[in-house]
Amino acid sequence: QKEVEQNSGPLSVPEGAIASLNCTYSDRGSQSFFWYRQYSGKSPELIMSIYSNGDKEDGRFTAQLNKASQYVSLLIRDSQPSDSATYLCAVKNRAGSYQLTFGKGTKLSVIP
Amino acid sequence: DADVTQTPRNRITKTGKRIMLECSQTKGHDRMYWYRQDPGLGLRLIYYSFDVKDINKGEISDGYSVSRQAQAKFSLSLESAIPNQTALYFCATSDPGNSYEQYFGPGTRLTVT
């Protein structure tokens, strides 16, 4: 069973702080990794994708991937109340599959 | 206009009724997916389709069927709805390129009483 694990939270951070969201996955052959943001009652919105080890930055967001540790994280700098949402980690498993396995999400609350 | 649309957005139906949820996309993507989301269980894949002639079962296909009427349209049917099919249903699409990124529609909130 391929699994993607996230701490459900809630993770509370003050406005302006760095929010750190973590995700681990069980399939060592996983190749592609995604972070989605989901506001309550809304659909998941893709915010970051990462395919190779290291960091990938996009504005206030940085995704970090460590395949040896089977660990992917999302950092949100200068957190804003509008960042309050549930963040879903998704993993594409081995070659030949186009399915994504989603974690259950971490709820982030940014306190003004 | 939204790239991925779903109809209806909300639906209340009774146990035993047949219901169809529809998804249309203008992104030109070949691959389409149906998920359901339940509190505490996350997103789970019901069916997916790589083209009009290719339909595949996902993790939780029992009690559901799908139809890919065209590249841009993918419908999900509940043949005989039951209360534990009450959930938020999402359609998603992806490009056949190497990115594997999936893009979601706005969702349908289905309640079975």
Side-chain angles (χ1 to χ4, degrees):
Chain A
Q1 181 75 13
K2 301 177 178 66
E3 295 183 346
V4 177
E5 300 287 343
Q6 296 181 256
N7 187 320
S8 62
L11 173 66
S12 295
V13 300
E15 184 175 355
I18 296 175
S20 178
L21 304 163
N22 304 316
C23 172
T24 59
Y25 58 94
S26 63
D27 185 352
R28 186 171 289 279
S30 296
Q31 300 180 324
S32 305
F33 307 85
F34 308 92
W35 284 100
Y36 286 82
R37 177 177 63 199
Q38 186 176 23
Y39 294 111
S40 181
K42 303 297 184 181
S43 60
E45 174 192 8
L46 179 67
I47 55 172
M48 289 286 286
S49 56
I50 186 166
Y51 305 98
S52 56
N53 280 330
D55 295 359
K56 179 181 178 182
E57 186 174 322
D58 184 1
R60 295 187 296 113
F61 299 99
T62 299
Q64 300 175 317
L65 175 62
N66 184 327
K67 290 186 178 181
S69 299
Q70 296 175 237
Y71 178 93
V72 59
S73 64
L74 179 70
L75 301 178
I76 306 175
R77 290 182 300 281
D78 188 22
S79 295
Q80 301 296 309
S82 58
D83 294 325
S84 298
T86 296
Y87 289 81
L88 307 176
C89 174
V91 175
K92 189 195 92 68
N93 298 312
R94 295 178 184 274
S97 169
Y98 290 90
Q99 297 181 53
L100 299 184
T101 301
F102 285 82
K104 295 178 182 178
T106 297
K107 186 172 184 179
L108 172 66
S109 179
V110 180
I111 310 301
Chain B
D1 290 340
D3 294 322
V4 184
T5 58
Q6 293 183 234
T7 56
R9 296 293 312 279
N10 289 281
R11 180 70 182 267
I12 300 173
T13 192
K14 293 184 181 298
T15 298
K17 294 292 187 181
R18 184 179 189 276
I19 184 169
M20 178 180 288
L21 309 183
E22 298 185 334
C23 177
S24 295
Q25 54 110 350
T26 59
K27 298 180 78 68
H29 290 171
D30 288 343
R31 295 180 168 85
M32 298 186 74
Y33 310 79
W34 276 105
Y35 292 89
R36 66 176 280 176
Q37 187 174 42
D38 301 88
L41 295 179
L43 278 164
R44 293 182 292 168
L45 183 64
I46 306 172
Y47 271 96
Y48 60 104
S49 169
F50 289 170
D51 64 40
V52 174
K53 298 181 180 179
D54 182 65
I55 304 288
N56 303 278
K57 292 182 177 180
E59 178 186 355
I60 52 162
S61 59
D62 287 350
Y64 301 95
S65 62
V66 291
S67 173
R68 185 82 182 265
Q69 302 94 325
Q71 185 207 34
K73 295 184 182 295
F74 192 35
S75 300
L76 176 72
S77 293
L78 287 67
E79 298 301 327
S80 180
I82 56 177
N84 78 358
Q85 291 177 315
T86 293
L88 192 53
Y89 290 84
F90 291 108
C91 173
T93 73
S94 68
D95 192 288
N98 292 329
S99 69
Y100 310 109
E101 296 172 350
Q102 292 186 14
Y103 299 91
F104 286 79
T108 295
R109 184 169 297 281
L110 176 66
T111 302
V112 183
T113 62

